[in-house]
């Protein structure tokens, strides 16, 4: 039966965004009020430390152009030990994110509770899944910050809200898109986010890029176009590529590009990646819980988990993979640098497409497969070119902040 207009993705997107805005707008007005009143100089009392941390931060920002701290050199170890650590990092990233991808497609495209006489029911509330991911990631980041020494935190807490807003909307678009497009299409769209990241970099951070960056971005565009224009027929059990799906993917890429550039600017406060993870997830939990309560959807999501224990297990494992994957990201970049990390994640995307085709029966034509190869060849070429520039001592503009949540 056709969905009511209140169940259309565009309506739910607007309702969710309005729910987040109901927290952001009053909060922003409060921040401006405290700044106009010069509360940092005149305030006192029990609320002063909280207001100071949320509105002003604990130390002044040095400069908008302060570069990120360079990766510390790893201590001298044997080649065997380095190889074992690299294998550990690669295996952790592959297992975490390949499992996450398989579960994501299972949760959003398959029914639960199906029997011989009943088709079962599908889980439709993408925002509830986003909340589960963020809660567990918040707990993991908080425990890490408590157990491991972190830099003195100086950023005003309210600044995380902007990254949280775009990050939650990008995650919602990512989950929602799987109702309309195949998983391989979604993976290729993620690979092509280099292009909007560059556009956002020019708009938000006023960056300039090298000619080879524009060349590889063009190759990625060509490869994605080849794949989309030559997609084979999908089985009846898989979602067909539709205009709604492409719009949602475009929304995911746009919001995600803003998130990465905003996070990159926040690193001028000399915070650690785990502190960034905690701050973004804190506001993400606030936004999603508030929005779900306003819609009365939090209880319904909990009831669905109670009706289908398999869904509860999948959602929990999805959140565990997301949180563990973030920790593997931090460790891998700290030990081997961003170039090695990018290569591992690029290979992971290729494996994810192959695994999805094997498990869920997606078809890829020869031209589509060639397009996939062009995309990943362009991504690896970017890694190679950035490595060469770094060897020559030239400044390499960071492409995206490696602390986003999926």
């Amino acid at each position: 039966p056709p969905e009511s207009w209140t169940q259309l993705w565009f309506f739910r997107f607007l309702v969710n965004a309005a729910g987040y805005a109901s927290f952001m707008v009053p909060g922003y007005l409060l921040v401006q009020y405290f700044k106009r009143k010069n509360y940092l100089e005149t305030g006192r009392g029990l609320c002063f430390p909280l207001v100071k941390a949320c509105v002003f931060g604990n130390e002044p920002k040095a400069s908008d152009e302060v570069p990120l701290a360079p990766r510390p050199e790893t201590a001298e170890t044997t080649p065997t030990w380095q190889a074992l650590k690299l294998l550990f990092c690669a295996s952790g990233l592959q297992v975490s994110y390949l499992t996450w991808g398989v579960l994501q497609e299972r949760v959003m495209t398959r029914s639960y509770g199906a029997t011989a006489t009943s088709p079962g029911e599908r889980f439709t509330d993408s925002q509830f899944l986003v909340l589960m991911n963020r809660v567990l990631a918040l707990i993991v980041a908080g425990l890490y910050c408590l157990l491991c020494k972190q830099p003195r935190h100086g950023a005003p807490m309210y600044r995380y809200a902007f990254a949280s807003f775009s990050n939650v909307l990008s995650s919602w678009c990512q989950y929602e898109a799987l109702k309309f497009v195949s998983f391989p299409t979604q993976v290729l769209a993620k690979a092509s986010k280099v292009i909007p990241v560059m556009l956002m970099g020019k708009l938000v951070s006023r960056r300039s890029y090298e000619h080879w960056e524009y060349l590889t971005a063009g190759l990625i565009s060509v490869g994605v176009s080849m794949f989309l224009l030559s997609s084979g027929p999908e089985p009846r059990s898989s979602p067909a590529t539709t205009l709604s799906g492409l719009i949602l993917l475009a929304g995911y890429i746009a919001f995600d590009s803003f998130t990465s550039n905003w996070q990159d600017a926040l690193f001028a406060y000399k915070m650690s990646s785990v502190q960034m993870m905690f701050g973004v997830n804190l506001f993400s939990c606030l936004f999603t819980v508030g929005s779900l309560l306003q819609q009365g959807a939090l209880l319904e999501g909990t009831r669905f988990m109670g009706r289908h224990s398999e869904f509860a297990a999948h959602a929990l494992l999805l959140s565990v993979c997301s949180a563990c994957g973030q920790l593997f990201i931090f460790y891998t970049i700290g030990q081997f640098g961003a170039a090695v990390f990018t290569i591992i994640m690029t290979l992971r995307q290729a494996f994810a497409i192959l695994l999805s085709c094997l498990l869920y029966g997606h078809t890829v034509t020869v031209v589509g497969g060639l397009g996939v190869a062009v995309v990943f060849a362009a991504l690896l070429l970017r890694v190679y070119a950035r490595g060469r520039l770094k060897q020559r001592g030239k400044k390499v503009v960071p492409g995206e902040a490696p602390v986003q949540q999926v």
Side-chain angles (χ1 to χ4, degrees), residues 150-301:
Q150 302 294 317
R152 183 172 183 267
H153 187 268
M157 290 298 295
Y158 82 92
R159 293 189 62 110
Y160 292 108
F162 300 99
S164 295
F165 180 79
S166 59
N167 179 254
V168 169
L169 287 179
S170 70
S171 297
W172 184 88
C173 288
Q174 178 182 216
Y175 282 118
E176 199 73 11
L178 281 177
K179 299 177 182 178
F180 305 98
V181 301
S182 67
F183 185 78
T185 302
Q186 188 195 71
V187 172
L188 264 291
K190 289 182 184 181
S192 67
K193 72 179 181 180
V194 169
I195 303 167
V197 164
M198 291 171 62
L199 293 176
M200 285 290 183
K202 292 188 74 69
L203 294 175
V204 177
S205 305
R206 306 299 183 189
R207 290 176 179 157
S208 59
Y209 296 94
E210 301 286 341
H211 294 298
W212 59 265
E213 294 182 281
Y214 290 108
L215 172 63
T216 54
L219 288 175
I220 291 172
S221 300
V222 170
V224 172
S225 300
M226 290 172 63
F227 178 82
L228 293 179
L229 294 176
S230 63
S231 296
E234 291 286 332
R236 287 180 297 175
S237 60
S238 299
T241 299
T242 64
L243 179 61
S244 293
L246 295 179
I247 294 174
L248 285 166
L249 287 176
Y252 158 74
I253 293 173
F255 286 123
D256 195 61
S257 301
F258 175 85
T259 302
S260 62
N261 280 279
W262 188 269
Q263 287 177 328
D264 186 54
L266 277 179
F267 272 117
Y269 288 99
K270 301 297 185 182
M271 69 184 68
S272 70
S273 296
V274 182
Q275 287 173 322
M276 173 74 76
M277 181 178 173
F278 180 85
V280 172
N281 278 299
L282 179 63
F283 281 94
S284 296
C285 289
L286 173 66
F287 291 158
T288 50
V289 167
S291 179
L292 287 168
L293 287 175
Q294 290 172 4
Q295 300 175 41
L298 185 61
L299 184 59
E300 178 55 35

Side-chain angles (χ1 to χ4, degrees), residues 2-250:
E3 291 182 321
S4 65
W5 65 275
T6 58
Q7 295 301 314
L8 296 176
W9 71 264
F10 184 69
F11 177 80
R12 284 183 283 114
F13 173 83
L14 293 179
V15 171
N16 292 345
Y20 308 150
S22 68
F23 291 91
M24 284 197 67
V25 173
Y28 180 77
L29 294 177
L30 275 176
V31 168
Q32 297 304 312
Y33 170 79
F34 285 122
K35 287 184 175 181
R36 285 198 307 270
K37 292 295 184 179
N38 197 22
Y39 188 81
L40 186 62
E41 302 295 334
T42 62
R44 59 181 57 86
L46 294 177
C47 294
F48 177 75
L50 177 63
V51 174
K52 180 185 176 186
C54 292
V55 178
F56 301 99
N58 292 317
E59 59 186 9
K61 186 178 179 182
S63 170
D64 288 334
E65 301 299 326
V66 174
L68 298 181
R71 179 175 62 94
E73 295 296 328
T74 56
E76 288 295 328
T77 56
T78 63
T80 302
W81 179 243
Q82 285 292 94
L84 288 175
K85 285 200 296 185
L86 179 58
L87 179 62
F88 172 74
C89 292
S91 300
L93 287 169
Q94 298 292 349
V95 171
S96 296
Y97 284 110
L98 287 177
T99 304
W100 174 82
V102 169
L103 287 173
Q104 175 187 313
E105 186 168 10
R106 168 66 181 88
V107 169
M108 298 307 300
T109 65
R110 299 296 189 270
S111 299
Y112 287 93
T115 63
T117 58
S118 172
E121 57 180 333
R122 287 190 178 184
F123 184 76
T124 58
D125 194 348
S126 301
Q127 188 176 209
F128 187 81
L129 283 179
V130 175
L131 171 62
M132 290 197 64
N133 289 352
R134 298 304 178 265
V135 167
L136 189 59
L138 177 67
I139 295 173
V140 170
L143 290 175
Y144 192 98
C145 289
L146 287 175
L147 298 176
C148 302
K149 187 177 180 180
Q150 302 294 317
R152 183 172 183 267
H153 187 268
M157 290 298 295
Y158 82 92
R159 293 189 62 110
Y160 292 108
F162 300 99
S164 295
F165 180 79
S166 59
N167 179 254
V168 169
L169 287 179
S170 70
S171 297
W172 184 88
C173 288
Q174 178 182 216
Y175 282 118
E176 199 73 11
L178 281 177
K179 299 177 182 178
F180 305 98
V181 301
S182 67
F183 185 78
T185 302
Q186 188 195 71
V187 172
L188 264 291
K190 289 182 184 181
S192 67
K193 72 179 181 180
V194 169
I195 303 167
V197 164
M198 291 171 62
L199 293 176
M200 285 290 183
K202 292 188 74 69
L203 294 175
V204 177
S205 305
R206 306 299 183 189
R207 290 176 179 157
S208 59
Y209 296 94
E210 301 286 341
H211 294 298
W212 59 265
E213 294 182 281
Y214 290 108
L215 172 63
T216 54
L219 288 175
I220 291 172
S221 300
V222 170
V224 172
S225 300
M226 290 172 63
F227 178 82
L228 293 179
L229 294 176
S230 63
S231 296
E234 291 286 332
R236 287 180 297 175
S237 60
S238 299
T241 299
T242 64
L243 179 61
S244 293
L246 295 179
I247 294 174
L248 285 166
L249 287 176

